[in-house]
Amino acid sequence: MDHLTWSVSDGVGMIVLNRPEARNAFTLPMIREWEALLRSWRTDDSVHVVVLTGAGDKAFCAGIDLSWLTDSRTPLERKTDLYAGIQRIALAVDDLDKPIVAAINGVAVGAGLDMALMCDLRVMSATARVAEGYVKLGLAPGGGGAYYLPRLVGLSKALELLLTGDFVDAEDALRIGLVNRVVAPRELIAETTALARAIATNPPASVRMIRRVTRQSASLELRPALDLVSSHVAILASTDDVGEALAALSEKRAGNFIGR
């Protein structure tokens, strides 16, 4: 069985973690294929937005296959596996330059939750649950949870979730800002795909630069952030998309833009 499946339709690239018998826990070969796919889609003009989900209705992702913890790797080899393996997904997502949306269809634990947190948007099934969970195994969040979680829910709440390893249901995940939307399980993929396609219909250069400047601004002070975005706006203002939008506005064809 192919443990990582993918497809492209109407500007949306779909990635499915396909190990339902193992709660979609990922292996290092899956990670390598996953990273290569994201790298290739970065320059693929047929893909405007990416959706990530898990196979079945039980789990989004249970993190790394736990056999990784029980084999004979040395500490240096384990660190190398993290840096050159799992953590490469975070870097590939950051480099993607296109929005990525997680459809959390079931349980997401540890690095499985981290994979959702590194996405730009998250849509969650009403019956799904998530937890960092590392502390229950005596570990620390090696997939990036300590980086992403405080940026979404604040430092104090992030520490609560990281230090207890407690599960969070969909209603609470929405309340604390961990996810953007909660939908019925049977509607998850349709709703997430519709969201992705709505984004994909917008001018690609604008979408990419908005994502880029928003992510970059998170680590900048105000002045360099404003300087950065002024460069992006100056470039976008010269594109055909802006020219067409202005022409449409002048011809009163831009009802959606001005809210009519």
Side-chain angles (χ1 to χ4, degrees):
M1 180 181 292
D2 190 346
H3 289 157
L4 191 79
T5 63
W6 59 271
S7 61
V8 178
S9 176
D10 296 330
V12 177
M14 177 76 72
I15 300 174
V16 180
L17 306 178
N18 190 32
R19 294 184 73 211
E21 74 286 354
R23 296 193 301 167
N24 298 319
F26 51 77
T27 62
L28 293 177
M30 284 173 67
I31 287 289
R32 288 191 285 270
E33 185 178 355
W34 191 348
E35 181 194 5
L37 184 60
L38 291 173
R39 299 285 183 196
S40 70
W41 278 355
R42 188 185 192 281
T43 55
D44 186 339
D45 291 338
S46 71
V47 178
H48 295 176
V49 182
V50 176
V51 171
L52 172 68
T53 193
D57 58 2
K58 301 298 183 183
F60 172 78
C61 180
I64 192 168
D65 192 305
L66 291 182
S67 63
W68 181 80
L69 290 173
T70 59
D71 61 22
S72 58
R73 285 180 175 85
T74 66
L76 179 58
E77 288 171 335
R78 292 187 197 280
K79 177 177 173 59
T80 300
D81 285 343
L82 283 172
Y83 183 73
I86 297 169
Q87 294 175 350
R88 301 303 299 178
I89 299 298
L91 297 176
V93 167
D94 196 53
D95 290 340
L96 180 62
D97 211 27
K98 299 174 182 180
I100 178 167
V101 186
I104 305 174
N105 55 301
V107 172
V109 181
L113 175 55
D114 292 347
M115 295 301 180
L117 297 180
M118 66 184 65
C119 295
D120 299 296
L121 302 171
R122 283 154 296 281
V123 182
M124 187 171 179
S125 165
T127 58
R129 299 189 305 152
V130 301
E132 278 293 344
Y134 291 97
V135 72
K136 300 295 188 182
L137 294 175
L139 297 173
Y147 177 87
Y148 296 108
L149 197 56
R151 287 165 167 78
L152 289 171
V153 303
L155 179 61
S156 182
K157 191 63 180 180
L159 280 171
E160 178 187 341
L161 298 179
L162 289 165
L163 293 175
T164 65
D166 287 347
F167 274 93
V168 177
D169 63 22
E171 182 179 345
D172 281 342
L174 182 63
R175 178 179 56 82
I176 65 176
L178 187 61
V179 299
N180 299 84
R181 301 180 184 182
V182 170
V183 301
R186 65 183 179 279
E187 298 171 358
L188 177 68
I189 297 303
E191 289 282 345
T192 307
T193 302
L195 174 61
R197 285 177 177 158
I199 296 170
T201 61
N202 290 317
S206 179
V207 169
R208 294 176 75 160
M209 288 200 177
I210 288 172
R211 180 189 191 265
R212 192 184 308 171
V213 75
T214 302
R215 280 181 167 253
Q216 291 172 343
S217 293
S219 61
L220 296 176
E221 295 183 353
L222 176 61
R223 290 183 183 276
L226 292 176
D227 187 44
L228 174 66
V229 76
S230 68
S231 299
H232 289 352
V233 171
I235 293 169
L236 289 171
S238 65
T239 63
D240 291 341
D241 289 323
V242 171
E244 170 59 22
L246 292 175
L249 185 61
S250 66
E251 297 170 14
K252 298 184 178 179
R253 291 190 286 114
N256 290 336
F257 178 78
I258 60 176
R260 292 192 282 109

